[in-house]
Amino acid sequence: MTHPGALDVTVACPDEATAREIADSLLGRRFIACAQLSAPVESRYRWNGALESAREVVLVLKTRADLFEPVAGAIRALHPYEVPAITGQAVMADAPTLRWIADACIASS
């Protein structure tokens, strides 16, 4: 079932410590239901006109759609990158999972 009220928010972090700090802060503030940290990945991208590459940890955060802007703002405040790429994608999940996300994210938008 697709539910427009639930999102996966994704952002690449320079290391596990940064990803954990962001995840723990957002969990503590009840902005997210959970956080998943990936193993290091190689990212290749264009920045300031040059091709770049870096080892990064991808952080995926489950939250309510109405919390996207506060979540993005909290990520930007804690993230060391000048422009962290923060994206949100609608979540397709079963009803119990959607209820869990809604119940876990009780912060106000």
Side-chain angles (χ1 to χ4, degrees):
M1 136 171 32
T2 299
H3 191 277
L7 291 178
D8 277 351
V9 176
T10 304
V11 63
C13 298
D15 51 46
E16 287 183 20
T18 300
R20 283 191 188 106
E21 177 185 11
I22 291 169
D24 291 349
S25 175
L26 291 172
L27 283 163
R29 295 169 67 184
R30 304 294 300 259
F31 279 158
I32 62 171
C34 75
Q36 297 168 310
L37 288 72
S38 71
V41 298
E42 180 181 349
S43 295
R44 302 184 67 76
Y45 53 95
R46 185 173 297 280
W47 182 249
N48 292 327
L51 292 177
E52 302 284 346
S53 67
R55 286 181 54 95
E56 297 180 303
V57 173
V58 177
L59 180 60
V60 178
L61 310 163
K62 293 189 181 341
T63 191
R64 298 187 335 239
D66 65 307
L67 290 176
F68 179 78
E69 287 302 329
V71 166
I75 292 168
R76 281 190 298 277
L78 295 167
H79 206 292
Y81 291 173
E82 183 179 341
V83 181
I86 304 165
T87 60
Q89 188 168 7
V91 172
M92 180 177 275
D94 64 354
T97 301
L98 295 171
R99 274 194 303 277
W100 165 66
I101 292 169
D103 292 346
C105 301
I106 61 171
S108 298
S109 57

